[in-house]
Amino acid sequence: MDVKAENLARVIGARVKHERNARGWTLDRLAEHAGVSRRMVVNVEQGSTNPSVGTLLRLSDALGVGLPALVEPPTPKAAKVTRAGDGAVLWTGEHGGRGVLVAGTEPPDVVELWEWTLAPGDRHESEAHSSGTRELLQVLEGSVTIVADGQVHTLDAGDALTFFGDVDHSYSNPNDVPARFTLCVYEPGVGHAHRSEAGDA
């Protein structure tokens, strides 16, 4: 990991540990609720790994805080500016593409704003998000192929797509020029599934 990635991993690890401790949960309990291994939780909390977006989504949903809150604690400010280049790089493609979380809201209804670049040959596979999740994207440059629930959509610059993100889906660039798109993810009711269980702890 480079320095920026290491710093982000430490921030995420500290946030996960803080939220877990605030609930009085053990490492094993968080691992069980998130559907990941105990070793993965330990590695994330220690900041020694660069977890996948899927793992971060599992952890944030289990903790009921939403993915943006793992990158930066919620702020009481009425407005928050993210300057160009300051977003959280949460995915890096084999060929140089990047998925950058640039803004987000707090739970229970979490909205994430992403900036994606897919280099030629890059592909990002995403497992199904929580029930009711919607995704909206618009291609800014190049061409992107989205597969959602078995349906294939090819979008060119200026085209947009809205689809349910609670199914397995992927974004890919099978072309020989880079592609860039913005992505908005709406995830309603984050944490509701685990609140009653946490209360029974």
Side-chain angles (χ1 to χ4, degrees):
M1 289 190 289
D2 60 24
V3 173
K4 195 168 183 180
E6 287 178 4
N7 290 339
L8 179 59
R10 280 197 292 272
V11 167
I12 291 172
R15 183 71 173 150
V16 169
K17 187 173 184 177
H18 170 80
E19 292 294 337
R20 177 177 63 79
N21 288 335
R23 287 157 182 72
W25 285 8
T26 62
L27 291 164
D28 289 322
R29 180 153 190 184
L30 176 54
E32 179 184 347
H33 279 300
V36 301
S37 68
R38 183 181 191 277
R39 171 51 50 195
M40 176 57 73
V41 175
V42 170
N43 288 343
V44 168
E45 289 193 358
Q46 291 177 346
S48 61
T49 187
N50 190 1
S52 69
V53 175
T55 295
L56 292 177
L57 284 169
R58 287 171 177 262
L59 290 170
S60 63
D61 188 52
L63 292 168
V65 297
L67 181 56
L70 290 189
V71 175
E72 182 172 301
T75 173
K77 295 178 184 176
K80 179 186 180 299
V81 174
T82 302
R83 298 293 180 192
D86 286 348
V89 180
L90 298 180
W91 177 81
T92 304
E94 288 183 24
H95 305 286
R98 301 191 328 155
V100 184
L101 180 63
V102 295
T105 64
E106 296 80 35
D109 297 323
V110 175
V111 179
E112 304 164 10
L113 180 62
W114 292 78
E115 178 183 272
W116 283 83
T117 304
L118 295 178
D122 269 338
R123 179 182 181 88
H124 173 67
E125 298 273 355
S126 180
E127 62 187 53
H129 303 317
S130 60
S131 179
T133 297
R134 301 294 298 271
E135 299 200 12
L136 302 88
L137 67 85
Q138 183 177 31
V139 177
L140 304 176
E141 296 175 8
S143 180
V144 178
T145 299
I146 298 96
V147 179
D149 201 24
Q151 294 187 334
V152 180
H153 308 275
T154 300
L155 305 181
D156 296 320
D159 294 344
L161 174 70
T162 302
F163 65 97
F164 282 98
D166 53 8
V167 295
D168 290 343
H169 52 284
S170 66
Y171 324 101
S172 62
N173 178 8
N175 307 294
D176 56 5
V177 294
R180 191 165 63 91
F181 64 95
T182 56
L183 173 70
C184 183
V185 180
Y186 169 69
E187 189 177 7
V190 169
H192 285 185
H194 302 293
R195 278 194 191 123
S196 60
E197 297 170 11
D200 295 339

Short mmCIF file of all heavy atoms in Angstrom, two decimals, residues 82-150:
data_model
loop_
_atom_site.label_atom_id
_atom_site.label_comp_id
_atom_site.label_asym_id
_atom_site.label_seq_id
_atom_site.Cartn_x
_atom_site.Cartn_y
_atom_site.Cartn_z
N THR A 82 -15.37 18.29 -0.20
CA THR A 82 -14.29 17.36 -0.52
C THR A 82 -13.58 17.91 -1.74
O THR A 82 -14.16 17.97 -2.83
CB THR A 82 -14.82 15.94 -0.81
OG1 THR A 82 -15.56 15.46 0.31
CG2 THR A 82 -13.66 14.99 -1.10
N ARG A 83 -12.36 18.33 -1.56
CA ARG A 83 -11.61 18.92 -2.67
C ARG A 83 -11.15 17.84 -3.66
O ARG A 83 -11.01 16.67 -3.30
CB ARG A 83 -10.39 19.69 -2.14
CG ARG A 83 -10.73 20.84 -1.22
CD ARG A 83 -11.44 21.96 -1.96
NE ARG A 83 -11.76 23.06 -1.06
CZ ARG A 83 -12.58 24.05 -1.38
NH1 ARG A 83 -13.17 24.07 -2.57
NH2 ARG A 83 -12.83 25.02 -0.52
N ALA A 84 -10.90 18.26 -4.87
CA ALA A 84 -10.43 17.34 -5.91
C ALA A 84 -9.19 16.60 -5.42
O ALA A 84 -8.26 17.22 -4.89
CB ALA A 84 -10.11 18.12 -7.18
N GLY A 85 -9.20 15.29 -5.53
CA GLY A 85 -8.07 14.48 -5.11
C GLY A 85 -8.12 14.03 -3.67
O GLY A 85 -7.28 13.25 -3.22
N ASP A 86 -9.12 14.52 -2.90
CA ASP A 86 -9.20 14.17 -1.48
C ASP A 86 -10.17 13.04 -1.17
O ASP A 86 -10.35 12.67 -0.01
CB ASP A 86 -9.61 15.41 -0.65
CG ASP A 86 -8.49 16.42 -0.52
OD1 ASP A 86 -7.34 16.06 -0.85
OD2 ASP A 86 -8.76 17.55 -0.09
N GLY A 87 -10.84 12.49 -2.17
CA GLY A 87 -11.77 11.39 -1.93
C GLY A 87 -11.04 10.13 -1.49
O GLY A 87 -9.82 10.01 -1.62
N ALA A 88 -11.80 9.19 -0.94
CA ALA A 88 -11.23 7.93 -0.45
C ALA A 88 -11.18 6.90 -1.57
O ALA A 88 -12.22 6.48 -2.08
CB ALA A 88 -12.05 7.39 0.71
N VAL A 89 -9.97 6.51 -1.96
CA VAL A 89 -9.80 5.50 -3.01
C VAL A 89 -10.05 4.12 -2.38
O VAL A 89 -9.22 3.61 -1.63
CB VAL A 89 -8.39 5.55 -3.64
CG1 VAL A 89 -8.25 4.48 -4.72
CG2 VAL A 89 -8.11 6.93 -4.21
N LEU A 90 -11.20 3.53 -2.68
CA LEU A 90 -11.58 2.26 -2.05
C LEU A 90 -11.46 1.07 -2.99
O LEU A 90 -11.66 -0.07 -2.59
CB LEU A 90 -13.00 2.35 -1.50
CG LEU A 90 -13.21 3.40 -0.41
CD1 LEU A 90 -14.65 3.39 0.07
CD2 LEU A 90 -12.26 3.16 0.77
N TRP A 91 -11.16 1.34 -4.26
CA TRP A 91 -10.95 0.24 -5.21
C TRP A 91 -9.91 0.67 -6.23
O TRP A 91 -9.92 1.81 -6.70
CB TRP A 91 -12.26 -0.10 -5.93
CG TRP A 91 -12.10 -1.17 -6.98
CD1 TRP A 91 -12.06 -2.52 -6.78
CD2 TRP A 91 -11.95 -0.97 -8.40
NE1 TRP A 91 -11.90 -3.17 -7.99
CE2 TRP A 91 -11.83 -2.23 -9.00
CE3 TRP A 91 -11.90 0.16 -9.20
CZ2 TRP A 91 -11.66 -2.41 -10.36
CZ3 TRP A 91 -11.73 0.00 -10.58
CH2 TRP A 91 -11.62 -1.28 -11.15
N THR A 92 -9.01 -0.25 -6.55
CA THR A 92 -8.02 -0.01 -7.60
C THR A 92 -8.06 -1.20 -8.55
O THR A 92 -7.97 -2.36 -8.12
CB THR A 92 -6.60 0.12 -7.01
OG1 THR A 92 -6.60 1.17 -6.05
CG2 THR A 92 -5.60 0.45 -8.11
N GLY A 93 -8.20 -0.92 -9.83
CA GLY A 93 -8.30 -1.99 -10.82
C GLY A 93 -6.95 -2.55 -11.22
O GLY A 93 -5.91 -1.92 -11.00
N GLU A 94 -6.97 -3.71 -11.83
CA GLU A 94 -5.74 -4.38 -12.27
C GLU A 94 -4.98 -3.55 -13.29
O GLU A 94 -3.75 -3.62 -13.39
CB GLU A 94 -6.07 -5.73 -12.92
CG GLU A 94 -6.51 -6.80 -11.96
CD GLU A 94 -6.75 -8.12 -12.68
OE1 GLU A 94 -6.18 -8.32 -13.77
OE2 GLU A 94 -7.51 -8.94 -12.15
N HIS A 95 -5.71 -2.73 -14.04
CA HIS A 95 -5.08 -1.97 -15.13
C HIS A 95 -4.97 -0.48 -14.82
O HIS A 95 -4.64 0.31 -15.71
CB HIS A 95 -5.85 -2.20 -16.43
CG HIS A 95 -5.98 -3.65 -16.79
ND1 HIS A 95 -4.93 -4.40 -17.28
CD2 HIS A 95 -7.03 -4.51 -16.69
CE1 HIS A 95 -5.33 -5.64 -17.49
NE2 HIS A 95 -6.60 -5.73 -17.14
N GLY A 96 -5.26 -0.10 -13.56
CA GLY A 96 -5.08 1.30 -13.16
C GLY A 96 -6.35 2.09 -12.88
O GLY A 96 -6.27 3.27 -12.54
N GLY A 97 -7.50 1.47 -13.02
CA GLY A 97 -8.75 2.16 -12.71
C GLY A 97 -8.89 2.42 -11.21
O GLY A 97 -8.17 1.83 -10.40
N ARG A 98 -9.81 3.31 -10.85
CA ARG A 98 -10.01 3.64 -9.43
C ARG A 98 -11.48 3.90 -9.14
O ARG A 98 -12.19 4.48 -9.96
CB ARG A 98 -9.22 4.90 -9.05
CG ARG A 98 -7.75 4.77 -9.27
CD ARG A 98 -6.94 5.91 -8.66
NE ARG A 98 -7.58 7.19 -8.63
CZ ARG A 98 -7.29 8.16 -7.77
NH1 ARG A 98 -6.36 7.97 -6.86
NH2 ARG A 98 -7.90 9.32 -7.80
N GLY A 99 -11.90 3.47 -7.95
CA GLY A 99 -13.22 3.80 -7.44
C GLY A 99 -13.01 4.70 -6.23
O GLY A 99 -12.42 4.27 -5.23
N VAL A 100 -13.47 5.96 -6.32
CA VAL A 100 -13.22 6.95 -5.27
C VAL A 100 -14.54 7.40 -4.65
O VAL A 100 -15.41 7.94 -5.34
CB VAL A 100 -12.47 8.18 -5.83
CG1 VAL A 100 -12.13 9.15 -4.72
CG2 VAL A 100 -11.22 7.74 -6.59
N LEU A 101 -14.69 7.20 -3.34
CA LEU A 101 -15.85 7.69 -2.62
C LEU A 101 -15.59 9.15 -2.29
O LEU A 101 -14.68 9.48 -1.53
CB LEU A 101 -16.08 6.88 -1.33
CG LEU A 101 -17.27 7.29 -0.48
CD1 LEU A 101 -18.58 7.10 -1.22
CD2 LEU A 101 -17.28 6.47 0.82
N VAL A 102 -16.38 10.05 -2.89
CA VAL A 102 -16.10 11.48 -2.72
C VAL A 102 -17.05 12.17 -1.74
O VAL A 102 -16.72 13.23 -1.20
CB VAL A 102 -16.14 12.23 -4.08
CG1 VAL A 102 -15.01 11.75 -4.97
CG2 VAL A 102 -17.48 12.06 -4.78
N ALA A 103 -18.21 11.58 -1.47
CA ALA A 103 -19.14 12.19 -0.53
C ALA A 103 -20.15 11.15 -0.08
O ALA A 103 -20.38 10.14 -0.76
CB ALA A 103 -19.86 13.37 -1.19
N GLY A 104 -20.76 11.39 1.08
CA GLY A 104 -21.77 10.47 1.58
C GLY A 104 -22.56 11.09 2.72
O GLY A 104 -22.16 12.10 3.29
N THR A 105 -23.70 10.46 3.02
CA THR A 105 -24.55 10.92 4.11
C THR A 105 -24.58 9.90 5.23
O THR A 105 -24.11 8.76 5.07
CB THR A 105 -25.98 11.18 3.61
OG1 THR A 105 -26.54 9.93 3.16
CG2 THR A 105 -26.00 12.19 2.47
N GLU A 106 -25.17 10.28 6.36
CA GLU A 106 -25.24 9.41 7.52
C GLU A 106 -26.48 8.51 7.44
O GLU A 106 -27.41 8.80 6.69
CB GLU A 106 -25.31 10.24 8.81
CG GLU A 106 -24.08 11.09 9.08
CD GLU A 106 -24.07 12.37 8.27
OE1 GLU A 106 -25.16 12.95 8.05
OE2 GLU A 106 -22.99 12.80 7.85
N PRO A 107 -26.49 7.43 8.24
CA PRO A 107 -27.66 6.56 8.27
C PRO A 107 -28.84 7.27 8.96
O PRO A 107 -28.62 8.29 9.61
CB PRO A 107 -27.17 5.36 9.11
CG PRO A 107 -25.99 5.84 9.86
CD PRO A 107 -25.40 6.97 9.07
N PRO A 108 -30.05 6.76 8.77
CA PRO A 108 -30.34 5.42 8.26
C PRO A 108 -30.41 5.32 6.73
O PRO A 108 -30.24 4.24 6.19
CB PRO A 108 -31.70 5.09 8.87
CG PRO A 108 -32.36 6.44 9.00
CD PRO A 108 -31.25 7.39 9.35
N ASP A 109 -30.69 6.42 6.04
CA ASP A 109 -30.79 6.36 4.58
C ASP A 109 -29.50 6.94 3.99
O ASP A 109 -29.35 8.16 3.89
CB ASP A 109 -32.02 7.11 4.09
CG ASP A 109 -33.31 6.49 4.60
OD1 ASP A 109 -33.37 5.25 4.68
OD2 ASP A 109 -34.25 7.23 4.93
N VAL A 110 -28.59 6.05 3.65
CA VAL A 110 -27.24 6.46 3.23
C VAL A 110 -27.18 6.67 1.71
O VAL A 110 -27.66 5.85 0.94
CB VAL A 110 -26.20 5.40 3.65
CG1 VAL A 110 -24.82 5.75 3.12
CG2 VAL A 110 -26.17 5.27 5.17
N VAL A 111 -26.59 7.79 1.33
CA VAL A 111 -26.34 8.08 -0.08
C VAL A 111 -24.83 8.23 -0.26
O VAL A 111 -24.19 8.95 0.51
CB VAL A 111 -27.05 9.38 -0.54
CG1 VAL A 111 -26.74 9.66 -2.01
CG2 VAL A 111 -28.55 9.28 -0.33
N GLU A 112 -24.28 7.52 -1.23
CA GLU A 112 -22.84 7.60 -1.52
C GLU A 112 -22.66 8.18 -2.92
O GLU A 112 -23.38 7.80 -3.84
CB GLU A 112 -22.20 6.20 -1.49
CG GLU A 112 -22.39 5.46 -0.19
CD GLU A 112 -22.09 3.97 -0.34
OE1 GLU A 112 -21.55 3.58 -1.41
OE2 GLU A 112 -22.40 3.21 0.58
N LEU A 113 -21.68 9.06 -3.07
CA LEU A 113 -21.34 9.61 -4.37
C LEU A 113 -19.93 9.17 -4.72
O LEU A 113 -18.98 9.44 -3.97
CB LEU A 113 -21.44 11.14 -4.37
CG LEU A 113 -21.11 11.84 -5.71
CD1 LEU A 113 -22.09 11.40 -6.80
CD2 LEU A 113 -21.14 13.35 -5.53
N TRP A 114 -19.78 8.50 -5.85
CA TRP A 114 -18.52 7.91 -6.28
C TRP A 114 -18.05 8.51 -7.60
O TRP A 114 -18.87 8.87 -8.45
CB TRP A 114 -18.66 6.41 -6.50
CG TRP A 114 -18.90 5.59 -5.28
CD1 TRP A 114 -20.08 5.45 -4.60
CD2 TRP A 114 -17.96 4.74 -4.62
NE1 TRP A 114 -19.94 4.58 -3.55
CE2 TRP A 114 -18.64 4.13 -3.54
CE3 TRP A 114 -16.62 4.45 -4.84
CZ2 TRP A 114 -18.01 3.23 -2.69
CZ3 TRP A 114 -16.01 3.55 -3.99
CH2 TRP A 114 -16.69 2.96 -2.92
N GLU A 115 -16.74 8.53 -7.77
CA GLU A 115 -16.13 8.87 -9.05
C GLU A 115 -15.32 7.64 -9.48
O GLU A 115 -14.41 7.22 -8.77
CB GLU A 115 -15.21 10.08 -8.88
CG GLU A 115 -14.48 10.48 -10.14
CD GLU A 115 -13.53 11.63 -9.88
OE1 GLU A 115 -13.96 12.79 -9.98
OE2 GLU A 115 -12.35 11.36 -9.56
N TRP A 116 -15.66 7.09 -10.62
CA TRP A 116 -15.02 5.88 -11.09
C TRP A 116 -14.24 6.12 -12.38
O TRP A 116 -14.71 6.83 -13.27
CB TRP A 116 -16.06 4.78 -11.37
CG TRP A 116 -16.59 4.12 -10.14
CD1 TRP A 116 -17.59 4.57 -9.33
CD2 TRP A 116 -16.15 2.88 -9.58
NE1 TRP A 116 -17.79 3.69 -8.30
CE2 TRP A 116 -16.92 2.65 -8.43
CE3 TRP A 116 -15.17 1.96 -9.95
CZ2 TRP A 116 -16.75 1.52 -7.64
CZ3 TRP A 116 -15.00 0.83 -9.17
CH2 TRP A 116 -15.79 0.63 -8.02
N THR A 117 -13.08 5.49 -12.47
CA THR A 117 -12.32 5.45 -13.71
C THR A 117 -12.01 3.98 -13.99
O THR A 117 -11.52 3.28 -13.10
CB THR A 117 -10.99 6.22 -13.58
OG1 THR A 117 -11.27 7.57 -13.19
CG2 THR A 117 -10.25 6.24 -14.91
N LEU A 118 -12.32 3.53 -15.18
CA LEU A 118 -11.99 2.17 -15.58
C LEU A 118 -11.00 2.24 -16.74
O LEU A 118 -11.31 2.77 -17.80
CB LEU A 118 -13.24 1.41 -16.03
CG LEU A 118 -14.33 1.14 -14.98
CD1 LEU A 118 -15.51 0.41 -15.62
CD2 LEU A 118 -13.78 0.34 -13.81
N ALA A 119 -9.81 1.72 -16.51
CA ALA A 119 -8.83 1.64 -17.58
C ALA A 119 -9.26 0.53 -18.55
O ALA A 119 -10.09 -0.32 -18.20
CB ALA A 119 -7.45 1.33 -17.01
N PRO A 120 -8.74 0.52 -19.76
CA PRO A 120 -9.09 -0.55 -20.69
C PRO A 120 -8.84 -1.93 -20.06
O PRO A 120 -7.77 -2.19 -19.51
CB PRO A 120 -8.14 -0.31 -21.87
CG PRO A 120 -7.92 1.17 -21.86
CD PRO A 120 -7.87 1.52 -20.40
N GLY A 121 -9.86 -2.77 -20.08
CA GLY A 121 -9.75 -4.11 -19.51
C GLY A 121 -10.14 -4.21 -18.05
O GLY A 121 -10.27 -5.31 -17.52
N ASP A 122 -10.37 -3.08 -17.37
CA ASP A 122 -10.75 -3.12 -15.95
C ASP A 122 -12.18 -3.63 -15.79
O ASP A 122 -13.07 -3.36 -16.62
CB ASP A 122 -10.66 -1.73 -15.33
CG ASP A 122 -9.32 -1.45 -14.70
OD1 ASP A 122 -8.60 -2.41 -14.36
OD2 ASP A 122 -8.97 -0.26 -14.55
N ARG A 123 -12.40 -4.34 -14.68
CA ARG A 123 -13.73 -4.85 -14.35
C ARG A 123 -13.86 -4.85 -12.83
O ARG A 123 -12.97 -5.32 -12.13
CB ARG A 123 -13.93 -6.26 -14.91
CG ARG A 123 -15.30 -6.87 -14.58
CD ARG A 123 -15.38 -8.29 -15.12
NE ARG A 123 -16.67 -8.91 -14.85
CZ ARG A 123 -17.73 -8.80 -15.63
NH1 ARG A 123 -17.66 -8.12 -16.76
NH2 ARG A 123 -18.87 -9.39 -15.31
N HIS A 124 -14.98 -4.34 -12.34
CA HIS A 124 -15.26 -4.38 -10.90
C HIS A 124 -16.51 -5.21 -10.66
O HIS A 124 -17.58 -4.91 -11.18
CB HIS A 124 -15.47 -2.97 -10.33
CG HIS A 124 -15.93 -2.98 -8.90
ND1 HIS A 124 -15.13 -3.41 -7.86
CD2 HIS A 124 -17.11 -2.64 -8.34
CE1 HIS A 124 -15.80 -3.32 -6.73
NE2 HIS A 124 -17.01 -2.86 -6.99
N GLU A 125 -16.35 -6.28 -9.87
CA GLU A 125 -17.47 -7.14 -9.51
C GLU A 125 -17.99 -6.71 -8.15
O GLU A 125 -17.23 -6.55 -7.21
CB GLU A 125 -17.01 -8.61 -9.43
CG GLU A 125 -16.49 -9.18 -10.74
CD GLU A 125 -17.60 -9.75 -11.60
OE1 GLU A 125 -18.76 -9.80 -11.14
OE2 GLU A 125 -17.30 -10.14 -12.75
N SER A 126 -19.29 -6.53 -8.03
CA SER A 126 -19.89 -6.13 -6.76
C SER A 126 -20.95 -7.14 -6.36
O SER A 126 -21.85 -7.46 -7.14
CB SER A 126 -20.51 -4.74 -6.89
OG SER A 126 -21.08 -4.33 -5.67
N GLU A 127 -20.85 -7.62 -5.14
CA GLU A 127 -21.89 -8.52 -4.64
C GLU A 127 -23.13 -7.70 -4.32
O GLU A 127 -23.09 -6.48 -4.24
CB GLU A 127 -21.40 -9.28 -3.41
CG GLU A 127 -21.05 -8.42 -2.23
CD GLU A 127 -20.42 -9.22 -1.10
OE1 GLU A 127 -19.45 -9.95 -1.35
OE2 GLU A 127 -20.92 -9.10 0.02
N ALA A 128 -24.25 -8.37 -4.16
CA ALA A 128 -25.51 -7.70 -3.88
C ALA A 128 -25.43 -6.89 -2.59
O ALA A 128 -24.91 -7.37 -1.57
CB ALA A 128 -26.64 -8.73 -3.78
N HIS A 129 -25.92 -5.65 -2.63
CA HIS A 129 -25.98 -4.81 -1.44
C HIS A 129 -27.27 -5.14 -0.69
O HIS A 129 -28.04 -6.00 -1.09
CB HIS A 129 -25.96 -3.33 -1.84
CG HIS A 129 -24.75 -2.96 -2.66
ND1 HIS A 129 -23.48 -3.40 -2.37
CD2 HIS A 129 -24.63 -2.18 -3.76
CE1 HIS A 129 -22.63 -2.90 -3.26
NE2 HIS A 129 -23.30 -2.17 -4.12
N SER A 130 -27.53 -4.40 0.39
CA SER A 130 -28.72 -4.67 1.21
C SER A 130 -30.00 -4.40 0.40
O SER A 130 -30.00 -3.65 -0.59
CB SER A 130 -28.68 -3.81 2.47
OG SER A 130 -28.67 -2.44 2.15
N SER A 131 -31.08 -5.01 0.84
CA SER A 131 -32.35 -4.93 0.13
C SER A 131 -32.79 -3.48 -0.06
O SER A 131 -32.73 -2.67 0.86
CB SER A 131 -33.42 -5.70 0.93
OG SER A 131 -34.66 -5.63 0.28
N GLY A 132 -33.24 -3.18 -1.27
CA GLY A 132 -33.74 -1.85 -1.56
C GLY A 132 -32.69 -0.87 -2.08
O GLY A 132 -33.03 0.25 -2.45
N THR A 133 -31.43 -1.29 -2.12
CA THR A 133 -30.37 -0.40 -2.61
C THR A 133 -30.59 -0.08 -4.08
O THR A 133 -30.89 -0.96 -4.88
CB THR A 133 -28.98 -1.06 -2.42
OG1 THR A 133 -28.74 -1.24 -1.03
CG2 THR A 133 -27.88 -0.18 -3.01
N ARG A 134 -30.45 1.20 -4.43
CA ARG A 134 -30.55 1.64 -5.82
C ARG A 134 -29.24 2.27 -6.23
O ARG A 134 -28.56 2.91 -5.42
CB ARG A 134 -31.68 2.68 -5.99
CG ARG A 134 -33.06 2.21 -5.58
CD ARG A 134 -33.60 1.10 -6.46
NE ARG A 134 -33.78 1.46 -7.86
CZ ARG A 134 -34.89 1.99 -8.37
NH1 ARG A 134 -35.91 2.25 -7.60
NH2 ARG A 134 -34.96 2.27 -9.67
N GLU A 135 -28.89 2.12 -7.50
CA GLU A 135 -27.68 2.75 -8.03
C GLU A 135 -28.04 3.56 -9.26
O GLU A 135 -28.85 3.12 -10.08
CB GLU A 135 -26.61 1.70 -8.37
CG GLU A 135 -26.17 0.90 -7.16
CD GLU A 135 -24.83 0.21 -7.33
OE1 GLU A 135 -24.12 0.53 -8.31
OE2 GLU A 135 -24.50 -0.63 -6.49
N LEU A 136 -27.44 4.74 -9.37
CA LEU A 136 -27.63 5.61 -10.53
C LEU A 136 -26.25 5.99 -11.02
O LEU A 136 -25.40 6.39 -10.21
CB LEU A 136 -28.39 6.88 -10.15
CG LEU A 136 -29.78 6.76 -9.53
CD1 LEU A 136 -29.68 6.62 -8.02
CD2 LEU A 136 -30.61 7.98 -9.87
N LEU A 137 -26.01 5.85 -12.30
CA LEU A 137 -24.70 6.25 -12.81
C LEU A 137 -24.84 6.93 -14.15
O LEU A 137 -25.80 6.72 -14.89
CB LEU A 137 -23.75 5.05 -12.90
CG LEU A 137 -24.01 3.91 -13.89
CD1 LEU A 137 -23.45 4.25 -15.26
CD2 LEU A 137 -23.39 2.64 -13.38
N GLN A 138 -23.86 7.80 -14.43
CA GLN A 138 -23.79 8.46 -15.72
C GLN A 138 -22.37 8.40 -16.23
O GLN A 138 -21.42 8.72 -15.50
CB GLN A 138 -24.25 9.92 -15.65
CG GLN A 138 -24.25 10.58 -17.02
CD GLN A 138 -24.76 12.01 -17.01
OE1 GLN A 138 -24.60 12.71 -16.02
NE2 GLN A 138 -25.38 12.42 -18.10
N VAL A 139 -22.23 7.99 -17.48
CA VAL A 139 -20.91 7.89 -18.10
C VAL A 139 -20.48 9.28 -18.56
O VAL A 139 -21.23 9.98 -19.26
CB VAL A 139 -20.93 6.91 -19.28
CG1 VAL A 139 -19.57 6.87 -19.96
CG2 VAL A 139 -21.33 5.52 -18.81
N LEU A 140 -19.28 9.68 -18.15
CA LEU A 140 -18.75 10.99 -18.54
C LEU A 140 -17.82 10.89 -19.73
O LEU A 140 -17.78 11.79 -20.57
CB LEU A 140 -18.01 11.62 -17.34
CG LEU A 140 -18.84 11.77 -16.06
CD1 LEU A 140 -17.97 12.31 -14.95
CD2 LEU A 140 -20.04 12.67 -16.30
N GLU A 141 -17.05 9.80 -19.79
CA GLU A 141 -16.10 9.60 -20.89
C GLU A 141 -16.05 8.11 -21.22
O GLU A 141 -16.13 7.27 -20.33
CB GLU A 141 -14.69 10.06 -20.51
CG GLU A 141 -14.55 11.53 -20.24
CD GLU A 141 -13.15 11.90 -19.75
OE1 GLU A 141 -12.26 11.02 -19.76
OE2 GLU A 141 -12.96 13.05 -19.35
N GLY A 142 -15.86 7.81 -22.50
CA GLY A 142 -15.70 6.42 -22.91
C GLY A 142 -17.00 5.65 -22.90
O GLY A 142 -18.09 6.22 -23.04
N SER A 143 -16.88 4.35 -22.68
CA SER A 143 -18.03 3.45 -22.70
C SER A 143 -17.89 2.44 -21.56
O SER A 143 -16.79 1.95 -21.29
CB SER A 143 -18.10 2.73 -24.05
OG SER A 143 -19.20 1.84 -24.09
N VAL A 144 -19.00 2.15 -20.89
CA VAL A 144 -18.99 1.24 -19.75
C VAL A 144 -20.07 0.19 -19.95
O VAL A 144 -21.18 0.50 -20.40
CB VAL A 144 -19.25 2.00 -18.42
CG1 VAL A 144 -19.29 1.04 -17.24
CG2 VAL A 144 -18.20 3.07 -18.20
N THR A 145 -19.75 -1.06 -19.61
CA THR A 145 -20.73 -2.14 -19.65
C THR A 145 -21.11 -2.51 -18.23
O THR A 145 -20.24 -2.82 -17.41
CB THR A 145 -20.17 -3.38 -20.38
OG1 THR A 145 -19.85 -3.02 -21.73
CG2 THR A 145 -21.19 -4.50 -20.38
N ILE A 146 -22.40 -2.47 -17.94
CA ILE A 146 -22.90 -2.81 -16.61
C ILE A 146 -23.74 -4.08 -16.75
O ILE A 146 -24.60 -4.17 -17.63
CB ILE A 146 -23.78 -1.68 -16.01
CG1 ILE A 146 -22.95 -0.41 -15.83
CG2 ILE A 146 -24.38 -2.11 -14.68
CD1 ILE A 146 -23.09 0.57 -16.95
N VAL A 147 -23.47 -5.05 -15.90
CA VAL A 147 -24.28 -6.26 -15.85
C VAL A 147 -24.94 -6.29 -14.48
O VAL A 147 -24.26 -6.24 -13.45
CB VAL A 147 -23.44 -7.53 -16.05
CG1 VAL A 147 -24.32 -8.76 -15.97
CG2 VAL A 147 -22.71 -7.48 -17.38
N ALA A 148 -26.27 -6.31 -14.45
CA ALA A 148 -27.02 -6.34 -13.19
C ALA A 148 -28.14 -7.36 -13.31
O ALA A 148 -28.97 -7.26 -14.22
CB ALA A 148 -27.59 -4.96 -12.86
N ASP A 149 -28.13 -8.32 -12.41
CA ASP A 149 -29.15 -9.37 -12.41
C ASP A 149 -29.25 -10.06 -13.77
O ASP A 149 -30.34 -10.37 -14.24
CB ASP A 149 -30.51 -8.77 -12.00
CG ASP A 149 -31.48 -9.84 -11.49
OD1 ASP A 149 -31.01 -10.90 -11.03
OD2 ASP A 149 -32.70 -9.61 -11.56
N GLY A 150 -28.09 -10.25 -14.40
CA GLY A 150 -28.03 -10.95 -15.66
C GLY A 150 -28.31 -10.11 -16.89
O GLY A 150 -28.15 -10.58 -18.01
#
